[in-house]
Amino acid sequence: MNAEHSASLRMIAESAADAAASFGGPARARRVHEGGPAWEPATWKALAQLGWLAIAVPESAGGLQLGAPALCVVAEEGGRALLAPPLTMGMAAAAVLAEAGEVAVPTLQALIEGLAHVVLVDAAESADATVAAHLVPDGDAAAHWLVACGLGHEFSARLLDPGAPGVALTVRHAVDGSRLADLHVGRATWNDAPQVLSGIAGEAAWRHGRHLAWLGDAAYLCGLMDAALALALDYLRLRRQFGVPIGSFQALQHRAAACHVDVTATRALVHEAARATSTGKEGWAAAAAVHRAGTAALRVTKEVVQFHGAIGFADEHDAGLYLRRAMTIGARHAGTALAALQSR
């Protein structure tokens, strides 16, 4: 990576940090945990106006064409501020729709303008009675489901409206208050839905989008655990026992150092994986990054709760917000990413 590109990414990160702090933060995450909306249309539109949802979309399709490294630095700042989980999925979905045909143009435009949200769902080999648990925004009318099934020449991805006849949506809540949904769609409804990707080329575009989603969530988790560790380090400097800060205790220093290594090593892997995009290593690198990030984020955020002692376990303390969000995001791709690694 040349110096000019590095400087550009730093500028993007600084801008994203300011915006994320304005639209996110522990207070908003707490409102979600307590039952408030995880997805606010006004915030979604504001993020779209910053160009975040078009960051991986080619210029020819109305995007910024900044690529996976830029997507990752934005996602990392989103995680640092605990922004609503659909963020990374929206960025990846826009990249997929940009590779689709004319039928997808209105949906892509609505997405990058912040007027809609698109959820990517892999239904494996059959679309009959699809059951796909996924994070979704609040307000079903604002969401579209891009569902893929089949392999190779039999691959097909279709846009489904959750409000259409023959589509049933069962919603529940994740541990952080985000909404999860099971989508049920019958064969007739699937056949009538507009097809936006097909065949080998369509499957390649779909896989690229899935890899971007993995990278985005991995970067999000990097920012999340970095912010959680900073919260704990502040507490270790402040809390005193036996007349000294507890951060001076060697046992806690060793544990904090291990957390720092987790954060730093995971971030390095994520950005290395982002640079592997559009190469033969793209899928494996993205899977490795999200698998590592999910494991590390759980380890770090659990330690952060422990560092705070009894108060860290209290629902009123912010430490638990990071752990719950790490659990939600880390579980999103756990099965598919691990399967990709094991099949290599």
Side-chain angles (χ1 to χ4, degrees), residues 112-193:
I112 64 178
E113 291 173 10
L115 302 177
H117 181 62
V118 177
V119 182
L120 301 179
V121 179
D122 195 335
E125 297 181 2
S126 173
D128 258 336
T130 298
V131 179
H134 221 296
L135 288 164
V136 294
D138 303 275
D140 299 335
H144 300 275
W145 293 66
L146 182 54
V147 182
C149 77
L151 299 171
H153 293 289
E154 301 300 320
F155 175 84
S156 177
R158 298 173 183 265
L159 272 173
L160 295 170
D161 181 346
V167 178
L169 205 61
T170 304
V171 178
R172 59 189 187 278
H173 287 86
V175 293
D176 68 337
S178 304
R179 296 167 77 242
L180 291 170
D182 294 332
L183 180 72
H184 305 259
V185 53
R187 173 63 64 179
T189 302
W190 168 263
N191 290 337
D192 291 340

Side-chain angles (χ1 to χ4, degrees), residues 54-284:
I55 204 164
V57 174
E59 290 182 355
S60 59
L64 300 180
Q65 199 170 326
L66 295 177
L71 182 150
C72 284
V73 298
V74 169
E76 183 172 343
E77 296 306 326
R80 196 183 309 279
L82 292 174
L83 278 178
L87 169 66
T88 51
M89 179 61 70
M91 293 192 288
V96 174
L97 290 172
E99 300 298 321
E102 290 294 322
V103 69
V105 170
T107 305
L108 173 61
Q109 288 303 310
L111 174 57
I112 64 178
E113 291 173 10
L115 302 177
H117 181 62
V118 177
V119 182
L120 301 179
V121 179
D122 195 335
E125 297 181 2
S126 173
D128 258 336
T130 298
V131 179
H134 221 296
L135 288 164
V136 294
D138 303 275
D140 299 335
H144 300 275
W145 293 66
L146 182 54
V147 182
C149 77
L151 299 171
H153 293 289
E154 301 300 320
F155 175 84
S156 177
R158 298 173 183 265
L159 272 173
L160 295 170
D161 181 346
V167 178
L169 205 61
T170 304
V171 178
R172 59 189 187 278
H173 287 86
V175 293
D176 68 337
S178 304
R179 296 167 77 242
L180 291 170
D182 294 332
L183 180 72
H184 305 259
V185 53
R187 173 63 64 179
T189 302
W190 168 263
N191 290 337
D192 291 340
Q195 179 175 268
V196 297
L197 294 169
S198 63
I200 294 175
E203 185 181 14
W206 177 266
R207 289 185 182 277
H208 176 64
R210 185 173 65 175
H211 299 156
L212 287 177
W214 287 353
L215 286 172
D217 278 349
Y220 184 102
L221 289 169
C222 285
L224 180 153
M225 58 179 161
D226 195 26
L229 182 57
L231 179 71
L233 294 179
D234 285 343
Y235 183 76
L236 294 179
R237 298 184 189 102
L238 175 68
R239 181 75 169 90
R240 299 176 72 84
Q241 282 186 348
F242 310 113
V244 297
I246 62 174
S248 64
F249 300 158
Q250 193 174 59
L252 293 181
Q253 289 177 355
H254 287 171
R255 289 166 64 181
C259 289
H260 174 71
V261 170
D262 258 338
V263 174
T264 304
T266 303
R267 181 185 291 116
L269 175 60
V270 170
H271 289 286
E272 185 68 23
R275 290 192 288 273
T277 302
S278 300
T279 71
K281 298 180 180 179
E282 175 186 302
W284 179 84

